[in-house]
């Protein structure tokens, strides 16, 4: 299924085409799609096809067409803090986009039939966390993947606020899917060749809406030996008490993010604006040491250098940050702008990940900085 949208040259152009065709309609969904390069979830030899509006399969690895994922994301009506279950989680592409919206206090679980696909999904997740500038612009709910048949989920699991099934569902399996859902929850699934949105309006009441016609491979039915008892698939705990260390990381990253790039993810194009990024970084350094005093007390070193200046000096520097750069900087920027013009086009500077640079510059032990960046010890 797919092919309704023109192919793009890169991920942003693909998203532009999806917006123009009205598959992506909300800002939140657009931000999530722009944050993750679809090509990163392809095997290297197939990346040239990543920005076409087509499904892709290689062995057990599978990605639905971009227009399908767009409709799914819009229909799920995601919000921070919700619980999400992905049945047939595959490469983790959809689960990772969902995690950008759920935030650190959501729940993000996936069930996948094939162990090799789970390993592939975790490799892609690790790559996203370590290399993507987008990761540091969101508060992330990291997905957790479990191997098993999604038709054998343990009865005590769930229910969830949002559920998606990435394989074709027959009518006799519909009630099973509905029971995974909380009241007021939303289930999106391919039901008899139609992508369908089911909202649980009460304990025994539902609203059903057909979205678009689709063609999905059917769910794989469980296989059991004669007289053998089915093995239920246990899902991770729905709500766990977060460690103080984990909560501290979330709060510190959020505080640093607000001071260096402002609240929320950066809109498209801001990451390429060198002048605004340099000003944001300069202002962020001042704000971090002046407004968040507890940080300078906990972390001695260069961040305390501004504490001996007068209030007037601090106000003047903050004013400069808000209005414009220093005259010398402006002249340098003008010269750089003239030099960077080639053939009438302005060549953009490389993106700068301000949050990551700020964390790496802190006078902290390397293992602690790696923890702040979500990097894991192998």
């Amino acid at each position: 299924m797919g092919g309704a949208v023109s192919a793009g040259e890169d991920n942003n152009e693909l998203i532009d085409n999806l917006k123009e065709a009205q598959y992506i309609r909300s800002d939140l969904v657009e931000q999530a799609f722009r944050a993750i390069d679809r090509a990163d979830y392809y095997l290297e030899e197939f990346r040239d096809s990543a920005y076409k509006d087509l499904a892709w399969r290689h062995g057990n690895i599978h990605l639905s067409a971009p227009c399908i994922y767009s409709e799914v994301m819009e229909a799920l009506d995601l919000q921070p803090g919700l619980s999400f279950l992905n049945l047939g989680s595959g490469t983790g592409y959809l689960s990772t986009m969902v995690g950008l919206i759920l935030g650190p206090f959501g729940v993000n679980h996936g069930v996948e039939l094939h162990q090799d696909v789970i390993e592939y999904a975790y490799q892609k997740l690790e790559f996203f966390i370590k290399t993507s500038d987008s990761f540091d612009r969101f508060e992330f709910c990291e997905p957790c993947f479990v191997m098993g048949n999604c038709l054998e989920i343990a009865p005590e699991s769930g229910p969830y606020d949002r559920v998606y099934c990435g394989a074709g569902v027959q009518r006799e399996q519909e009630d099973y899917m509905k029971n995974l859902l909380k009241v007021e929850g939303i289930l999106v699934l391919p039901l008899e060749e139609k992508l369908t949105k089911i909202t649980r309006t009460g304990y025994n009441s539902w609203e059903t809406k057909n979205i678009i016609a689709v063609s999905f491979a059917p769910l794989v039915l469980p296989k059991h030996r004669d007289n053998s008892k089915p093995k239920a698939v246990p899902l991770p705990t729905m709500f766990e008490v977060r460690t103080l260390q984990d909560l501290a990381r979330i709060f510190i990253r959020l505080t640093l993010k607000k001071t260096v790039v402002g609240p929320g993810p950066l809109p498209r194009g801001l990451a390429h604006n060198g002048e605004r990024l340099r000003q944001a970084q300069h202002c962020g350094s001042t704000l971090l040491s002046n407004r968040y005093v507890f940080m300078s007390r906990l972390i001695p070193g260069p961040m305390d250098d501004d504490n001996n200046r007068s209030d007037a000096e601090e106000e003047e520097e903050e004013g400069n940050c808000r209005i414009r750069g220093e005259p010398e900087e402006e002249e340098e920027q003008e010269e750089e702008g003239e030099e960077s013009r080639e053939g009438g086009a302005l060549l953009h500077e490389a993106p700068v990940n301000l949050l990551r640079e700020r964390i790496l510059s802190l006078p902290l032990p390397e293992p602690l900085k790696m923890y702040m960046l979500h990097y894991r010890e192998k």
Side-chain angles (χ1 to χ4, degrees):
M1 175 68 191
V5 174
S6 301
E9 292 294 326
D10 57 25
N11 195 68
N12 273 326
E13 190 170 318
L14 172 63
I15 308 311
D16 290 341
N17 295 338
L18 290 168
K19 281 190 65 182
E20 184 177 355
Q22 289 295 301
Y23 285 106
I24 292 179
R25 299 177 290 277
S26 65
D27 291 341
L28 204 57
V29 170
E30 179 187 352
Q31 289 172 1
F33 268 87
R34 291 198 190 279
I36 301 176
D37 195 326
R38 179 176 167 89
D40 290 341
Y41 287 78
Y42 277 63
L43 293 171
E44 188 64 33
E45 59 266 35
F46 299 102
R47 286 177 65 95
D48 290 344
S49 301
Y51 307 122
K52 298 177 181 178
D53 188 28
L54 297 172
W56 172 69
R57 180 181 292 277
H58 182 78
N60 293 326
I61 302 171
H62 174 259
L63 281 167
S64 294
C67 66
I68 301 297
Y69 283 133
S70 304
E71 290 288 5
V72 169
M73 290 284 286
E74 292 288 356
L76 285 171
D77 189 22
L78 297 163
Q79 302 166 32
L82 296 181
S83 56
F84 172 69
L85 176 62
N86 190 351
L87 304 176
S89 51
T91 65
Y93 173 66
L94 177 66
S95 292
T96 302
M97 283 196 294
V98 169
L100 297 175
I101 298 177
L102 296 183
F105 302 110
V107 174
N108 194 355
H109 295 163
V111 180
E112 170 55 43
L113 189 61
H114 304 286
Q115 180 61 38
D116 62 325
V117 179
I118 289 181
E119 292 172 1
Y120 185 87
Y122 274 122
Q123 290 172 6
K124 295 303 180 183
L125 176 63
E126 196 75 5
F127 180 81
F128 171 70
I129 291 174
K130 285 191 173 185
T131 66
S132 174
D133 290 340
S134 298
F135 173 77
D136 291 320
R137 297 181 196 138
F138 292 80
E139 299 303 303
F140 189 49
C141 180
E142 188 171 328
C144 178
F145 306 115
V146 174
M147 189 181 76
N149 191 302
C150 64
L151 292 173
E152 296 183 306
I153 293 174
E156 64 273 14
S157 301
Y160 290 79
D161 296 300
R162 301 290 187 268
V163 178
Y164 170 66
C165 181
V169 178
Q170 301 304 310
R171 284 291 175 188
E172 58 268 25
Q173 299 157 343
E174 181 181 355
D175 288 341
Y176 171 87
M177 299 289 175
K178 288 179 176 179
N179 288 331
L180 297 171
L181 207 59
K182 292 181 179 180
V183 174
E184 298 185 356
I186 295 173
L187 166 66
V188 179
L189 74 171
L191 183 61
E192 295 187 335
E193 304 299 313
K194 293 183 178 65
L195 188 65
T196 305
K197 175 180 179 179
I198 300 175
T199 304
R200 189 169 193 170
T201 57
Y203 189 76
N204 288 312
S205 58
W206 316 83
E207 286 183 358
T208 301
K209 177 184 177 182
N210 292 330
I211 303 174
I212 55 174
V214 292
S215 178
F216 276 69
L219 282 169
V220 176
L221 299 178
K223 297 179 181 179
H224 304 294
R225 295 178 180 177
D226 294 340
N227 301 322
S228 63
K229 186 178 180 180
K231 184 179 180 181
V233 178
L235 295 181
T237 303
M238 181 70 77
F239 296 106
E240 295 181 353
V241 177
R242 306 294 286 266
T243 65
L244 182 59
Q245 183 180 4
D246 199 20
L247 292 172
R249 173 170 66 180
I250 292 169
F251 181 76
I252 293 172
R253 280 175 60 90
L254 182 60
T255 301
L256 290 171
K257 186 187 302 182
K258 287 181 177 178
T259 60
V260 297
V261 297
L266 293 178
R268 182 187 179 192
L270 181 56
H272 297 286
N273 191 321
E275 179 181 354
R276 293 175 66 184
L277 284 172
R278 282 194 296 272
Q279 290 184 11
Q281 190 174 26
H282 187 56
C283 294
S285 175
T286 304
L287 294 173
L288 188 61
S289 56
N290 293 339
R291 296 187 181 181
Y292 294 91
V293 181
F294 74 95
M295 287 296 295
S296 62
R297 291 176 180 171
L298 289 174
I299 306 173
M303 294 173 64
D304 291 333
D305 291 345
D306 292 334
N307 291 343
N308 296 325
R309 296 184 300 173
S310 67
D311 291 341
E313 290 173 334
E314 292 173 354
E315 290 176 1
E316 181 180 354
E317 180 165 336
E318 288 187 19
N320 289 336
C321 288
R322 286 193 299 268
I323 301 172
R324 59 190 303 176
E326 296 293 336
E328 292 181 1
E329 291 180 355
E330 291 176 7
E331 292 176 3
E332 292 176 0
Q333 290 164 7
E334 289 177 1
E335 292 176 1
E336 290 175 0
E338 292 175 0
E339 292 174 358
S340 63
R341 291 186 182 276
E342 184 175 306
L346 179 63
L347 302 178
H348 295 297
E349 296 183 15
V352 179
N353 189 322
L354 298 178
L355 176 61
R356 198 165 299 189
E357 286 191 354
R358 173 62 64 191
I359 291 174
L360 290 173
S361 69
L362 295 174
L364 298 172
E366 285 301 314
L368 181 54
K369 287 193 281 191
M370 292 303 100
Y371 177 76
M372 293 290 294
L373 292 170
H374 285 255
Y375 294 179
R376 299 170 178 81
E377 294 291 338
K378 294 293 183 184

